[in-house]
Every structure is written in C-alpha cells, then in structure tokens.
C-alpha cells in the first residue's frame, strides 16, 4: 500500500512570510495583517503592536547590542507612527544564549531603554529566557489618534514619502557582495550605517500629520523595503501603482555613480530598515505634505501591479523565509 505524503517533511523555508500568514489565517480563523491592531476595552480604543528580531539574522558586524535594542524599539514605534497612533508603553521578551557577556546584556538593556525614552515610550520590563539564539521581541500599547488606516490606496491617490531611500540598501548590497570595507569612507555609506544603527522614525511629526489625517487612505513603513511596500499596497488595494521617480536625494544619486556594480534601482527598492513612512494621499493634499518634507513619487491608478516607468517593477523587497525578491 502506497503511503500518502502528508506534507510533514516540508520545511517553511521557501514558503515565505505571506504564505505562512495564510496558514495562520486558516488555522485561527482570523489574522488582520495591518502592521498595527486596534482593540476596544470598556469603550477605550487602544493600538497594539509586537515586533522582534533575531541577532543571528539581523545584526551586522558594525552593530552593537545597544544598537539592536534601539533598532527593535524603533521598529515598533515606526508602525505606530505610520498609522498615526501614539505608542505609550512597551514590554520586552529577551532570549539570550548562556555565553552572552554581561557587558553585552547591559548594553542591550541600555539600548532598549534609551530608544524607548527617545521616542516617548515607557519601557516597563518583560520576560527573560535562555536559548540557542539571541532574540528580542517588543510588544507595545498606545492610542490611535484617528480611525484605522489600512493598506488599500484609492485610485487617483499620490504616494508620498521622505526622499531618503537608498542609503541602507547600498550598505546591504555592499555587505553581501563582500565590498563594504572598501567603501566605508563614502558619505552615503556612512549615512546608511548610521541609519541602520540608529533608525529614527519621525514620531515628532505626528502632531502635524494629524491635521491631514483625512488625506490618508493607506500607509506602511519601509522596514522590509520599498519594493515590498509597493507590491503590498497594489495587492491589498487591488490597484495599479506607477512609480514616476526614485524617492532619493540628489547627493545620494551622485555618490552612487562612483561605485561600480551598483544598480541604483536595486538599492532604492530592495533596501529596508529605513523606517520611512509611505502614505497614499488624496491628490489635493499634495502641497500640505510637501510643506512637511514629503515628496510625491508614485500614482495610484486603476488596474493591478507595480510599474517603474513602462516596465513591471522587478524588486519586491525582503520576505522572511525567502530573502530578497526580484
């Protein structure tokens, strides 16, 4: 009798984060993948978020334990910000290997504490475990300042962001190509390293943005790369996204020309960890957002897919259990 393959030998590597989320939906019957969740308790609306990282996959050679604590706190704050919500309290679950030095442990806690304080969040403590890898998870609670902002842009919208993409993507590209040490003196590389070590989601802009909350139909941050943001907005909103220009500075574009083997589109779209906001806004709000430092870089049209110029965008950002997608 032939034995039926039940699929028990299939590993999750290659299925991808999106595929695994679909499995979660099938099993628990509900999973709203919108970066930040709103809940109501006794008439009070709250915003909640959990995010985490593994040091074995997320820590680069130039990053300290302090940097990693700051980074994971910033990643949670960034998701609150793009949904126009204010983070208030955070608790942290830490798993460390037994051979981690006490100095590294202290630096991790300082990074978490300083990051929380910098972003106006109170770090309440949490849980501590021993394991085979170093893992940090931050859960935060805060208040939504307006209604729910999802991932479904409206046809006719403009996509806006702060035009500082490319720096982290350049560092990632040089690092994985084994060439980072050759370009450490380049200003664009220095800035990219600083952005990775001390990400700064612009939470201080929240009060000003609240004045224009009615302009925003959808939002995401760029933690997994601009390409992934654009493809997610297109898929979830069932719309066509057309990128008109690369959201980067003129100085960055000029510097990158000096580095052989770098495709500027790749480092802009397949970067990640910039923690920059991307908002889909009504076209008549363009000038208001320009005054805040945002620039229009794409339009939302009827149809499907993401296009850069006349071609389908090949870059799709980072996906856990797959890697960089093109």
């Amino acid at each position: 009798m032939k034995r039926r393959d039940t699929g028990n030998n299939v590993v999750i590597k290659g299925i991808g984060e999106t595929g695994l989320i679909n499995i979660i939906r099938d099993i628990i019957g509900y999973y709203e993948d919108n970066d930040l969740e709103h809940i109501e308790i006794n008439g009070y609306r709250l915003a909640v978020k959990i995010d985490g990282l593994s040091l074995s996959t997320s820590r680069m050679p130039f990053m300290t334990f302090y940097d990693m604590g700051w980074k994971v706190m910033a990643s949670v704050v960034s998701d609150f910000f793009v949904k126009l919500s204010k983070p208030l309290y955070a608790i942290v679950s830490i798993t460390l290997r037994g051979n981690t030095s006490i100095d590294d442990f202290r630096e991790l806690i300082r990074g978490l504490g300083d990051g929380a304080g910098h972003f106006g969040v109170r770090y309440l403590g949490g849980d501590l475990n021993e394991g085979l890898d170093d893992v940090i998870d931050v859960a935060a609670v805060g208040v939504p300042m307006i209604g729910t902002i999802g991932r479904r842009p409206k046809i006719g919208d403009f996509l806006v962001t702060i035009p500082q993409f490319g720096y982290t993507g350049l560092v990632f590209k040089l690092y994985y190509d084994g060439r980072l040490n050759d370009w450490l003196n380049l200003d664009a590389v220095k800035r990219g390293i600083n952005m990775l070590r001390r990400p700064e989601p612009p939470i201080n802009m929240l009060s000003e943005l609240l004045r224009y909350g009615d302009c925003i139909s959808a939002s995401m941050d760029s933690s997994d790369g601009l390409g992934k943001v654009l493809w997610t907005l297109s898929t979830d909103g069932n719309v066509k996204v057309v990128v008109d220009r690369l959201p980067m500075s003129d100085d960055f574009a000029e510097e990158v020309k000096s580095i052989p083997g770098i495709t500027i589109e790749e480092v802009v779209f397949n970067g990640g960890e910039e923690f920059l906001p991307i908002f889909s806004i009504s076209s008549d709000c363009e000038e208001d957002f320009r005054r805040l430092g945002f620039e229009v870089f794409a339009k939302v049209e009827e149809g499907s897919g993401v296009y850069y110029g006349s071609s389908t965008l090949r870059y799709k950002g980072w996906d856990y259990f797959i890697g960089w997608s093109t």
Side-chain angles (χ1 to χ4, degrees):
M1 180 177 178
K2 187 175 181 180
R3 186 176 180 181
R4 187 167 63 90
D5 183 4
T6 62
N8 291 335
N9 293 323
V10 177
V11 299
I12 61 176
K13 186 71 173 179
I15 294 176
E17 187 175 0
T18 301
L20 294 174
I21 287 173
N22 288 332
I23 292 175
I24 295 174
R25 287 193 178 105
D26 290 341
I27 293 173
I28 69 174
Y30 172 82
Y31 188 98
E32 186 65 31
D33 189 22
N34 188 33
D35 305 309
L36 189 72
E37 300 298 330
H38 289 182
I39 60 175
E40 187 171 321
I41 301 177
N42 296 330
Y44 292 96
R45 291 176 65 240
L46 299 174
V48 295
K49 170 67 181 179
I50 187 167
D51 207 349
L53 54 80
S54 162
L55 268 66
S56 65
T57 58
S58 298
R59 182 186 176 196
M60 303 186 78
F62 51 78
M63 300 180 75
T64 65
F65 273 67
Y66 182 99
D67 297 333
M68 300 308 294
W70 180 290
K71 173 183 169 180
V72 70
M73 195 64 71
S75 70
V76 172
V77 168
S78 182
D79 282 324
F80 274 83
F81 171 68
V82 296
K83 302 302 178 180
L84 300 193
S85 298
K86 183 176 178 60
L88 297 175
Y89 302 99
I91 54 175
V92 183
S93 177
I94 300 171
T95 299
L96 295 174
R97 291 170 293 181
N99 61 358
T100 301
S101 76
I102 190 65
D103 289 340
D104 283 339
F105 175 73
R106 289 193 175 100
E107 283 301 293
L108 172 61
I109 302 304
R110 290 190 184 104
L112 287 163
D114 289 352
H118 180 78
F119 297 119
V121 176
R122 186 175 177 185
Y123 174 18
L124 298 178
D127 181 42
L128 186 62
N129 306 282
E130 182 179 354
L132 299 178
D133 193 3
D134 302 319
V135 179
I136 315 166
D137 295 296
V138 176
V141 62
V143 290
M145 307 303 287
I146 65 171
T148 302
I149 302 174
R151 296 175 169 183
R152 297 178 180 176
K154 295 179 180 178
I155 294 171
D157 275 3
F158 291 160
L159 296 188
V160 299
T161 190
I162 298 170
Q164 297 298 326
F165 280 87
Y167 294 102
T168 63
L170 176 61
V171 173
F172 285 136
K173 177 65 175 175
L174 291 173
Y175 172 73
Y176 289 114
D177 285 352
R179 298 192 290 153
L180 182 59
N181 288 339
D182 299 333
W183 297 95
L184 290 176
N185 291 326
L186 195 71
D187 287 342
V189 172
K190 290 179 182 178
R191 180 161 184 176
I193 289 174
N194 189 57
M195 289 175 70
L196 290 168
R197 296 185 65 216
R198 295 287 188 280
E200 287 270 1
I203 192 74
N204 60 322
M205 193 185 292
L206 179 59
S207 60
E208 287 188 278
L209 275 172
L210 288 174
R211 297 165 54 194
Y212 308 109
D214 290 342
C215 296
I216 302 170
S217 65
S219 68
M220 290 182 68
D221 83 337
S222 61
S223 56
D224 293 327
L226 181 59
K228 185 169 184 178
V229 171
L230 299 177
W231 280 104
T232 300
L233 292 175
S234 171
T235 302
D236 286 11
N238 193 27
V239 294
K240 178 180 179 181
V241 174
V242 179
V243 179
D244 298 316
R245 62 182 300 274
L246 297 177
M248 61 183 180
S249 70
D250 293 337
D251 290 343
F252 176 79
E254 193 62 33
E255 280 197 272
V256 170
K257 292 178 183 177
S258 65
I259 308 176
I262 295 295
T263 303
I264 198 163
E265 289 82 6
E266 180 179 8
V267 298
V268 168
F269 289 116
N270 257 10
E273 298 189 8
E274 303 95 348
F275 299 107
L276 292 169
I278 296 94
F279 294 112
S280 182
I281 65 166
S282 174
S283 59
D284 56 9
C285 298
E286 176 184 356
E287 289 305 315
D288 295 321
F289 277 77
R290 284 191 185 277
R291 284 194 294 271
L292 295 176
F294 290 85
E295 287 190 8
V296 174
F297 72 98
K299 295 181 176 65
V300 180
E301 300 179 357
E302 188 173 353
S304 62
V306 181
Y307 292 82
Y308 175 49
S310 59
S311 302
T312 299
L313 181 67
R314 59 177 290 200
Y315 301 106
K316 296 187 177 181
W318 174 263
D319 197 338
Y320 278 111
F321 307 103
I322 291 179
W324 298 109
S325 300
T326 57

Short mmCIF file of all heavy atoms in Angstrom, two decimals, residues 99-156:
data_model
loop_
_atom_site.label_atom_id
_atom_site.label_comp_id
_atom_site.label_asym_id
_atom_site.label_seq_id
_atom_site.Cartn_x
_atom_site.Cartn_y
_atom_site.Cartn_z
N ASN A 99 26.22 32.03 26.89
CA ASN A 99 27.58 32.56 26.82
C ASN A 99 27.61 34.04 26.43
O ASN A 99 28.68 34.58 26.14
CB ASN A 99 28.43 31.74 25.85
CG ASN A 99 27.88 31.76 24.42
OD1 ASN A 99 26.84 32.36 24.16
ND2 ASN A 99 28.59 31.11 23.51
N THR A 100 26.46 34.70 26.41
CA THR A 100 26.43 36.14 26.16
C THR A 100 27.10 36.86 27.32
O THR A 100 26.84 36.55 28.49
CB THR A 100 24.97 36.64 26.02
OG1 THR A 100 24.34 35.95 24.95
CG2 THR A 100 24.92 38.14 25.75
N SER A 101 27.95 37.83 27.02
CA SER A 101 28.67 38.53 28.09
C SER A 101 27.73 39.46 28.84
O SER A 101 26.76 39.98 28.29
CB SER A 101 29.83 39.34 27.51
OG SER A 101 29.38 40.52 26.88
N ILE A 102 28.03 39.68 30.11
CA ILE A 102 27.21 40.56 30.94
C ILE A 102 27.26 41.99 30.42
O ILE A 102 26.28 42.74 30.53
CB ILE A 102 27.65 40.48 32.42
CG1 ILE A 102 26.65 41.21 33.32
CG2 ILE A 102 29.06 41.03 32.59
CD1 ILE A 102 25.27 40.59 33.35
N ASP A 103 28.41 42.39 29.83
CA ASP A 103 28.50 43.73 29.26
C ASP A 103 27.55 43.90 28.07
O ASP A 103 26.92 44.95 27.92
CB ASP A 103 29.94 44.03 28.82
CG ASP A 103 30.87 44.22 30.00
OD1 ASP A 103 30.38 44.51 31.12
OD2 ASP A 103 32.09 44.10 29.82
N ASP A 104 27.46 42.87 27.21
CA ASP A 104 26.53 42.93 26.08
C ASP A 104 25.08 42.98 26.58
O ASP A 104 24.25 43.69 26.01
CB ASP A 104 26.71 41.71 25.16
CG ASP A 104 27.94 41.84 24.27
OD1 ASP A 104 28.42 42.98 24.07
OD2 ASP A 104 28.42 40.80 23.78
N PHE A 105 24.80 42.24 27.63
CA PHE A 105 23.45 42.27 28.20
C PHE A 105 23.10 43.67 28.69
O PHE A 105 22.02 44.19 28.41
CB PHE A 105 23.33 41.27 29.35
CG PHE A 105 22.02 41.32 30.06
CD1 PHE A 105 20.87 40.82 29.47
CD2 PHE A 105 21.93 41.89 31.33
CE1 PHE A 105 19.64 40.88 30.13
CE2 PHE A 105 20.71 41.95 31.99
CZ PHE A 105 19.57 41.44 31.39
N ARG A 106 24.02 44.29 29.40
CA ARG A 106 23.77 45.65 29.90
C ARG A 106 23.58 46.63 28.74
O ARG A 106 22.71 47.50 28.79
CB ARG A 106 24.94 46.11 30.78
CG ARG A 106 25.02 45.42 32.14
CD ARG A 106 26.00 46.16 33.06
NE ARG A 106 26.01 45.59 34.39
CZ ARG A 106 26.93 44.76 34.86
NH1 ARG A 106 27.93 44.38 34.06
NH2 ARG A 106 26.87 44.30 36.08
N GLU A 107 24.38 46.47 27.69
CA GLU A 107 24.26 47.36 26.53
C GLU A 107 22.92 47.18 25.83
O GLU A 107 22.30 48.15 25.36
CB GLU A 107 25.41 47.10 25.55
CG GLU A 107 26.73 47.71 25.99
CD GLU A 107 26.63 49.21 26.16
OE1 GLU A 107 26.43 49.92 25.16
OE2 GLU A 107 26.70 49.69 27.32
N LEU A 108 22.45 45.95 25.73
CA LEU A 108 21.14 45.70 25.13
C LEU A 108 20.04 46.41 25.90
O LEU A 108 19.18 47.08 25.31
CB LEU A 108 20.88 44.19 25.10
CG LEU A 108 19.47 43.75 24.67
CD1 LEU A 108 19.17 44.23 23.25
CD2 LEU A 108 19.33 42.24 24.78
N ILE A 109 20.06 46.30 27.22
CA ILE A 109 19.03 46.94 28.04
C ILE A 109 19.13 48.46 27.93
O ILE A 109 18.11 49.15 27.85
CB ILE A 109 19.14 46.48 29.50
CG1 ILE A 109 19.02 44.96 29.60
CG2 ILE A 109 18.08 47.17 30.35
CD1 ILE A 109 17.77 44.39 28.97
N ARG A 110 20.35 48.97 27.89
CA ARG A 110 20.51 50.43 27.73
C ARG A 110 19.95 50.88 26.38
O ARG A 110 19.32 51.93 26.27
CB ARG A 110 21.98 50.82 27.85
CG ARG A 110 22.55 50.69 29.26
CD ARG A 110 23.94 51.32 29.36
NE ARG A 110 24.52 51.11 30.67
CZ ARG A 110 25.48 50.23 30.96
NH1 ARG A 110 25.97 49.47 29.99
NH2 ARG A 110 25.94 50.11 32.18
N GLY A 111 20.21 50.10 25.33
CA GLY A 111 19.70 50.45 24.01
C GLY A 111 18.18 50.46 23.98
O GLY A 111 17.56 51.36 23.40
N LEU A 112 17.57 49.44 24.59
CA LEU A 112 16.12 49.40 24.68
C LEU A 112 15.58 50.59 25.47
O LEU A 112 14.62 51.26 25.05
CB LEU A 112 15.66 48.09 25.34
CG LEU A 112 15.79 46.82 24.51
CD1 LEU A 112 15.71 45.58 25.40
CD2 LEU A 112 14.71 46.77 23.43
N GLY A 113 16.21 50.86 26.61
CA GLY A 113 15.74 51.96 27.46
C GLY A 113 15.93 53.32 26.83
O GLY A 113 15.02 54.16 26.86
N ASP A 114 17.10 53.56 26.23
CA ASP A 114 17.36 54.85 25.60
C ASP A 114 16.47 55.05 24.37
O ASP A 114 15.98 56.15 24.11
CB ASP A 114 18.83 54.97 25.19
CG ASP A 114 19.75 55.14 26.40
OD1 ASP A 114 19.24 55.30 27.52
OD2 ASP A 114 20.98 55.09 26.20
N GLY A 115 16.28 53.96 23.59
CA GLY A 115 15.40 54.06 22.43
C GLY A 115 13.97 54.38 22.84
O GLY A 115 13.32 55.26 22.27
N ALA A 116 13.48 53.68 23.87
CA ALA A 116 12.13 53.95 24.35
C ALA A 116 11.99 55.39 24.82
O ALA A 116 11.04 56.10 24.44
CB ALA A 116 11.79 52.99 25.48
N GLY A 117 12.95 55.86 25.62
CA GLY A 117 12.89 57.23 26.11
C GLY A 117 12.94 58.26 25.00
O GLY A 117 12.24 59.27 25.02
N HIS A 118 13.78 57.99 24.00
CA HIS A 118 13.93 58.91 22.87
C HIS A 118 12.61 59.08 22.12
O HIS A 118 12.29 60.18 21.64
CB HIS A 118 15.01 58.39 21.93
CG HIS A 118 15.27 59.26 20.74
ND1 HIS A 118 16.02 60.41 20.81
CD2 HIS A 118 14.86 59.15 19.45
CE1 HIS A 118 16.08 60.97 19.62
NE2 HIS A 118 15.38 60.23 18.77
N PHE A 119 11.85 58.00 22.00
CA PHE A 119 10.60 58.03 21.25
C PHE A 119 9.37 58.28 22.12
O PHE A 119 8.24 58.18 21.65
CB PHE A 119 10.43 56.72 20.47
CG PHE A 119 11.49 56.49 19.44
CD1 PHE A 119 12.33 55.37 19.53
CD2 PHE A 119 11.69 57.36 18.39
CE1 PHE A 119 13.31 55.14 18.58
CE2 PHE A 119 12.66 57.14 17.44
CZ PHE A 119 13.49 56.03 17.54
N GLY A 120 9.59 58.60 23.40
CA GLY A 120 8.48 58.92 24.27
C GLY A 120 7.70 57.72 24.77
O GLY A 120 6.51 57.83 25.09
N VAL A 121 8.35 56.55 24.83
CA VAL A 121 7.71 55.32 25.27
C VAL A 121 8.27 54.93 26.64
O VAL A 121 9.47 55.06 26.90
CB VAL A 121 7.97 54.18 24.26
CG1 VAL A 121 7.37 52.87 24.75
CG2 VAL A 121 7.40 54.55 22.89
N ARG A 122 7.43 54.41 27.50
CA ARG A 122 7.89 53.92 28.80
C ARG A 122 8.14 52.42 28.74
O ARG A 122 7.23 51.64 28.44
CB ARG A 122 6.86 54.23 29.89
CG ARG A 122 7.37 53.86 31.28
CD ARG A 122 6.39 54.28 32.35
NE ARG A 122 6.87 53.86 33.67
CZ ARG A 122 6.19 53.99 34.80
NH1 ARG A 122 4.99 54.56 34.77
NH2 ARG A 122 6.69 53.57 35.94
N TYR A 123 9.38 52.02 28.99
CA TYR A 123 9.79 50.62 28.96
C TYR A 123 9.50 50.03 30.34
O TYR A 123 10.11 50.40 31.33
CB TYR A 123 11.28 50.57 28.61
CG TYR A 123 11.96 49.22 28.67
CD1 TYR A 123 11.26 48.03 28.66
CD2 TYR A 123 13.36 49.14 28.70
CE1 TYR A 123 11.90 46.80 28.70
CE2 TYR A 123 14.03 47.93 28.73
CZ TYR A 123 13.29 46.76 28.74
OH TYR A 123 13.93 45.56 28.78
N LEU A 124 8.56 49.06 30.38
CA LEU A 124 8.06 48.54 31.66
C LEU A 124 8.78 47.29 32.14
O LEU A 124 8.52 46.84 33.26
CB LEU A 124 6.56 48.23 31.53
CG LEU A 124 5.65 49.41 31.21
CD1 LEU A 124 4.21 48.93 31.06
CD2 LEU A 124 5.74 50.49 32.29
N GLY A 125 9.64 46.70 31.34
CA GLY A 125 10.26 45.42 31.72
C GLY A 125 9.76 44.32 30.81
O GLY A 125 9.46 44.56 29.65
N GLY A 126 9.65 43.08 31.34
CA GLY A 126 9.17 42.00 30.49
C GLY A 126 9.59 40.62 30.94
O GLY A 126 9.48 40.28 32.12
N ASP A 127 10.18 39.85 30.01
CA ASP A 127 10.47 38.45 30.24
C ASP A 127 11.90 38.16 29.80
O ASP A 127 12.40 38.78 28.85
CB ASP A 127 9.47 37.60 29.43
CG ASP A 127 9.68 36.11 29.62
OD1 ASP A 127 9.91 35.69 30.77
OD2 ASP A 127 9.61 35.37 28.63
N LEU A 128 12.55 37.20 30.47
CA LEU A 128 13.93 36.85 30.15
C LEU A 128 14.07 35.34 30.07
O LEU A 128 13.62 34.61 30.96
CB LEU A 128 14.88 37.42 31.21
CG LEU A 128 16.38 37.27 30.96
CD1 LEU A 128 16.79 38.02 29.70
CD2 LEU A 128 17.17 37.81 32.16
N ASN A 129 14.70 34.86 28.97
CA ASN A 129 14.84 33.42 28.75
C ASN A 129 16.24 33.09 28.24
O ASN A 129 16.95 33.95 27.71
CB ASN A 129 13.83 32.94 27.69
CG ASN A 129 12.42 33.32 28.03
OD1 ASN A 129 11.78 32.71 28.86
ND2 ASN A 129 11.91 34.37 27.38
N GLU A 130 16.63 31.81 28.37
CA GLU A 130 17.87 31.31 27.79
C GLU A 130 17.52 30.41 26.61
O GLU A 130 16.58 29.61 26.67
CB GLU A 130 18.68 30.52 28.81
CG GLU A 130 20.01 30.02 28.25
CD GLU A 130 20.85 29.26 29.28
OE1 GLU A 130 20.44 29.23 30.46
OE2 GLU A 130 21.89 28.70 28.89
N GLY A 131 18.27 30.56 25.50
CA GLY A 131 18.00 29.75 24.32
C GLY A 131 19.23 29.57 23.46
O GLY A 131 20.35 29.91 23.87
N LEU A 132 19.02 29.08 22.25
CA LEU A 132 20.12 28.80 21.33
C LEU A 132 20.43 29.98 20.41
O LEU A 132 21.36 29.92 19.61
CB LEU A 132 19.79 27.56 20.49
CG LEU A 132 19.57 26.27 21.29
CD1 LEU A 132 19.22 25.13 20.34
CD2 LEU A 132 20.81 25.92 22.10
N ASP A 133 19.64 31.04 20.47
CA ASP A 133 19.88 32.24 19.67
C ASP A 133 19.49 33.44 20.52
O ASP A 133 18.79 33.31 21.54
CB ASP A 133 19.04 32.21 18.38
CG ASP A 133 19.48 33.26 17.37
OD1 ASP A 133 20.47 33.97 17.63
OD2 ASP A 133 18.83 33.37 16.32
N ASP A 134 19.94 34.63 20.10
CA ASP A 134 19.59 35.87 20.79
C ASP A 134 18.39 36.48 20.07
O ASP A 134 18.48 36.84 18.89
CB ASP A 134 20.76 36.85 20.77
CG ASP A 134 22.01 36.27 21.42
OD1 ASP A 134 21.87 35.60 22.45
OD2 ASP A 134 23.11 36.46 20.87
N VAL A 135 17.26 36.59 20.76
CA VAL A 135 16.01 37.06 20.16
C VAL A 135 15.40 38.13 21.06
O VAL A 135 15.33 37.95 22.28
CB VAL A 135 15.00 35.90 19.97
CG1 VAL A 135 13.70 36.42 19.38
CG2 VAL A 135 15.60 34.81 19.09
N ILE A 136 14.97 39.23 20.43
CA ILE A 136 14.34 40.32 21.17
C ILE A 136 12.96 40.58 20.57
O ILE A 136 12.84 40.80 19.36
CB ILE A 136 15.17 41.62 21.09
CG1 ILE A 136 16.66 41.34 21.30
CG2 ILE A 136 14.68 42.65 22.10
CD1 ILE A 136 17.54 42.50 20.89
N ASP A 137 11.93 40.58 21.41
CA ASP A 137 10.57 40.88 20.98
C ASP A 137 10.02 42.02 21.83
O ASP A 137 10.08 41.95 23.07
CB ASP A 137 9.66 39.66 21.11
CG ASP A 137 10.06 38.53 20.19
OD1 ASP A 137 10.00 38.72 18.96
OD2 ASP A 137 10.46 37.46 20.68
N VAL A 138 9.47 43.03 21.17
CA VAL A 138 8.90 44.18 21.88
C VAL A 138 7.41 44.25 21.58
O VAL A 138 7.01 44.27 20.41
CB VAL A 138 9.58 45.49 21.46
CG1 VAL A 138 8.89 46.68 22.12
CG2 VAL A 138 11.05 45.48 21.83
N ALA A 139 6.60 44.27 22.62
CA ALA A 139 5.16 44.49 22.49
C ALA A 139 4.85 45.86 23.06
O ALA A 139 5.32 46.21 24.15
CB ALA A 139 4.37 43.41 23.22
N ALA A 140 4.07 46.64 22.33
CA ALA A 140 3.77 48.00 22.75
C ALA A 140 2.28 48.26 22.67
O ALA A 140 1.56 47.68 21.86
CB ALA A 140 4.53 49.02 21.89
N VAL A 141 1.82 49.16 23.52
CA VAL A 141 0.43 49.60 23.51
C VAL A 141 0.40 51.12 23.50
O VAL A 141 1.27 51.77 24.09
CB VAL A 141 -0.34 49.03 24.73
CG1 VAL A 141 0.25 49.54 26.04
CG2 VAL A 141 -1.81 49.36 24.65
N GLY A 142 -0.57 51.66 22.80
CA GLY A 142 -0.70 53.11 22.73
C GLY A 142 -2.12 53.47 22.34
O GLY A 142 -3.05 52.68 22.52
N VAL A 143 -2.28 54.67 21.80
CA VAL A 143 -3.61 55.14 21.45
C VAL A 143 -3.66 55.55 19.98
O VAL A 143 -2.76 56.24 19.49
CB VAL A 143 -4.04 56.33 22.33
CG1 VAL A 143 -4.28 55.86 23.75
CG2 VAL A 143 -2.98 57.43 22.32
N PRO A 144 -4.70 55.11 19.25
CA PRO A 144 -4.89 55.60 17.88
C PRO A 144 -5.42 57.03 17.93
O PRO A 144 -6.38 57.31 18.64
CB PRO A 144 -5.93 54.63 17.31
CG PRO A 144 -6.66 54.09 18.49
CD PRO A 144 -5.71 54.12 19.65
N MET A 145 -4.80 57.92 17.18
CA MET A 145 -5.19 59.32 17.21
C MET A 145 -6.29 59.64 16.21
O MET A 145 -6.93 60.68 16.30
CB MET A 145 -3.97 60.21 16.95
CG MET A 145 -2.78 59.91 17.85
SD MET A 145 -3.18 60.05 19.61
CE MET A 145 -3.30 61.83 19.78
N ILE A 146 -6.49 58.75 15.22
CA ILE A 146 -7.60 58.86 14.28
C ILE A 146 -8.13 57.45 14.04
O ILE A 146 -7.71 56.50 14.71
CB ILE A 146 -7.18 59.53 12.95
CG1 ILE A 146 -6.16 58.67 12.20
CG2 ILE A 146 -6.61 60.91 13.18
CD1 ILE A 146 -5.88 59.17 10.81
N GLY A 147 -9.01 57.28 13.06
CA GLY A 147 -9.54 55.95 12.74
C GLY A 147 -8.48 55.05 12.13
O GLY A 147 -7.33 55.45 11.91
N THR A 148 -8.88 53.83 11.83
CA THR A 148 -7.97 52.84 11.27
C THR A 148 -7.50 53.24 9.87
O THR A 148 -8.31 53.60 9.01
CB THR A 148 -8.64 51.46 11.19
OG1 THR A 148 -9.07 51.08 12.50
CG2 THR A 148 -7.70 50.42 10.63
N ILE A 149 -6.19 53.18 9.65
CA ILE A 149 -5.60 53.38 8.32
C ILE A 149 -5.09 52.03 7.86
O ILE A 149 -4.26 51.41 8.52
CB ILE A 149 -4.45 54.39 8.35
CG1 ILE A 149 -4.93 55.75 8.88
CG2 ILE A 149 -3.84 54.55 6.95
CD1 ILE A 149 -3.81 56.76 9.07
N GLY A 150 -5.58 51.56 6.72
CA GLY A 150 -5.20 50.25 6.24
C GLY A 150 -4.15 50.29 5.15
O GLY A 150 -3.30 51.17 5.11
N ARG A 151 -4.26 49.33 4.22
CA ARG A 151 -3.28 49.19 3.14
C ARG A 151 -3.96 49.21 1.77
O ARG A 151 -3.49 48.57 0.84
CB ARG A 151 -2.52 47.87 3.29
CG ARG A 151 -1.67 47.75 4.53
CD ARG A 151 -1.09 46.34 4.59
NE ARG A 151 -0.06 46.19 5.59
CZ ARG A 151 0.63 45.07 5.79
NH1 ARG A 151 0.36 44.01 5.05
NH2 ARG A 151 1.56 45.00 6.70
N ARG A 152 -5.06 49.93 1.66
CA ARG A 152 -5.82 49.93 0.42
C ARG A 152 -5.90 51.35 -0.15
O ARG A 152 -6.82 52.11 0.18
CB ARG A 152 -7.22 49.36 0.66
CG ARG A 152 -7.18 47.91 1.10
CD ARG A 152 -8.56 47.36 1.38
NE ARG A 152 -8.48 45.96 1.79
CZ ARG A 152 -9.53 45.23 2.17
NH1 ARG A 152 -10.75 45.78 2.17
NH2 ARG A 152 -9.38 43.97 2.53
N PRO A 153 -4.97 51.72 -1.00
CA PRO A 153 -4.97 53.06 -1.58
C PRO A 153 -6.18 53.27 -2.48
O PRO A 153 -6.73 52.32 -3.05
CB PRO A 153 -3.68 53.10 -2.41
CG PRO A 153 -2.88 51.92 -1.98
CD PRO A 153 -3.85 50.90 -1.48
N LYS A 154 -6.57 54.52 -2.63
CA LYS A 154 -7.68 54.87 -3.52
C LYS A 154 -7.14 55.24 -4.89
O LYS A 154 -6.08 55.88 -5.01
CB LYS A 154 -8.48 56.04 -2.94
CG LYS A 154 -9.19 55.72 -1.64
CD LYS A 154 -9.94 56.95 -1.14
CE LYS A 154 -10.67 56.65 0.17
NZ LYS A 154 -11.35 57.86 0.69
N ILE A 155 -7.87 54.85 -5.91
CA ILE A 155 -7.50 55.23 -7.28
C ILE A 155 -7.50 56.76 -7.38
O ILE A 155 -8.44 57.41 -6.93
CB ILE A 155 -8.47 54.60 -8.29
CG1 ILE A 155 -8.31 53.07 -8.28
CG2 ILE A 155 -8.23 55.15 -9.70
CD1 ILE A 155 -9.35 52.34 -9.08
N GLY A 156 -6.44 57.29 -7.95
CA GLY A 156 -6.27 58.74 -8.05
C GLY A 156 -5.36 59.31 -6.98
O GLY A 156 -4.96 60.48 -7.06
#
